[in-house]
Amino acid sequence: MYEWDFAPVLSESGLLLAGFRNTLILTATALTGGLAVGLLLALARLSHRRLLSLPADLIIEVFRTTPPLVQLFWFYFGLPIILSVEMTPFLAAALTFTIQSGAFFAEIFRAGIVSIEKGQWEAARVIGMTHSQLMRRIILPQAVKRMFPSMMERSIELMKTTTLVATVSYADLLYEANELAQKTFRPLEVYTVVALIYFISISFISFLAARLERRFARSGEMTR
């Protein structure tokens, strides 16, 4: 029978906490950048100008249909060769997951924008609103409420996908867990603790997201 012993793992918990902090930093960076990139790609894809819509289509399809690990390796190993630039593990990971999540957010933004009734677009144009005013004041505030569940689901998926950065030696939670497992010879205990950390943090995020979603639903009912 296997005898569980978490004492060696708990005594080195500082390593896991440092790795979890790096995971949160990377996730927050990629999420913030991904939302901005996603909005720009969505607007470009909806544009009637082919010079904008075609490149946006290409970026979205490439990053949605290729494995994120391959993308990460390409940015980390390939980009320095092509552009003769220095690429750190964090920078490669941030670029990869920012663009990759942006490609998915773009489709979420696009679906939310086109779901707004045509009457609201026409009414805003009748009163003389510019396209930017229309998007900022009328369309996006409503679309965000409709997109919120999908956006939160994608954000959680992003946090789990960041575990791939251990392959390029970025000191995230999984990387530190691998180091600790080799140090303590207690891989089952180490990865059990890692699973619990992800379970608790993602469950907490899901709880907050559900509360916000209910609040959006109530505010939508009040404005009807």
Side-chain angles (χ1 to χ4, degrees):
M1 294 292 292
Y2 184 80
E3 294 185 4
W4 293 83
D5 184 9
F6 286 91
V9 179
L10 296 178
S11 66
E12 299 287 347
S13 59
L15 286 175
L16 296 180
L17 291 176
F20 184 57
R21 180 192 62 205
N22 290 337
T23 291
L24 293 178
I25 291 172
L26 177 59
T27 302
T29 301
L31 178 59
T32 304
L35 287 170
V37 169
L39 179 58
L40 291 175
L41 287 174
L43 294 176
R45 192 166 197 177
L46 290 170
S47 174
H48 297 296
R49 299 178 181 178
R50 304 291 286 177
L51 190 62
L52 294 176
S53 62
L54 286 178
D57 284 339
L58 179 62
I59 293 172
I60 291 171
E61 292 307 315
V62 167
F63 280 88
R64 290 180 70 233
T65 56
T66 55
L69 183 59
V70 174
Q71 298 167 14
L72 178 61
F73 283 169
W74 193 91
F75 274 103
Y76 187 64
F77 296 110
L79 204 60
I81 296 174
I82 297 173
L83 300 181
S84 299
V85 296
E86 183 179 352
M87 186 65 64
T88 64
F90 176 79
L91 182 56
L95 286 173
T96 299
F97 296 124
T98 291
I99 302 176
Q100 195 248 359
S101 60
F104 282 93
F105 282 132
E107 287 301 280
I108 296 173
F109 274 117
R110 186 186 64 82
I113 290 171
V114 300
S115 71
I116 304 301
E117 295 76 9
K118 289 184 178 180
Q120 298 193 45
W121 294 79
E122 295 169 355
R125 292 192 180 101
V126 167
I127 63 176
M129 279 191 175
T130 64
H131 185 74
S132 61
Q133 290 175 330
L134 168 63
M135 295 298 297
R136 187 174 65 253
R137 299 179 182 179
I138 306 295
I139 304 302
L140 287 179
Q142 297 181 76
V144 166
K145 293 180 181 180
R146 300 182 182 185
M147 296 183 296
F148 186 75
S150 298
M151 292 174 70
M152 289 308 304
E153 181 180 351
R154 186 61 209 167
S155 300
I156 291 171
E157 192 65 29
L158 170 63
M159 185 176 182
K160 292 187 289 186
T161 306
T162 58
T163 55
L164 296 175
V165 299
T167 60
V168 293
S169 300
Y170 177 68
D172 75 322
L173 178 56
L174 183 59
Y175 179 87
E176 296 292 2
N178 293 336
E179 294 292 309
L180 188 56
Q182 295 179 32
K183 182 179 180 180
T184 61
F185 301 102
R186 288 287 171 178
L188 287 179
E189 288 86 342
V190 169
Y191 295 120
T192 297
V193 171
V194 169
L196 285 173
I197 292 173
Y198 275 106
F199 173 76
I200 293 171
S201 57
I202 290 176
S203 295
F204 179 69
I205 294 171
S206 299
F207 170 75
L208 293 180
R211 288 179 62 89
L212 284 172
E213 187 177 350
R214 288 195 294 270
R215 181 174 296 182
F216 284 153
R218 288 197 298 269
S219 65
E221 293 174 358
M222 292 175 63
T223 55
R224 291 177 182 174

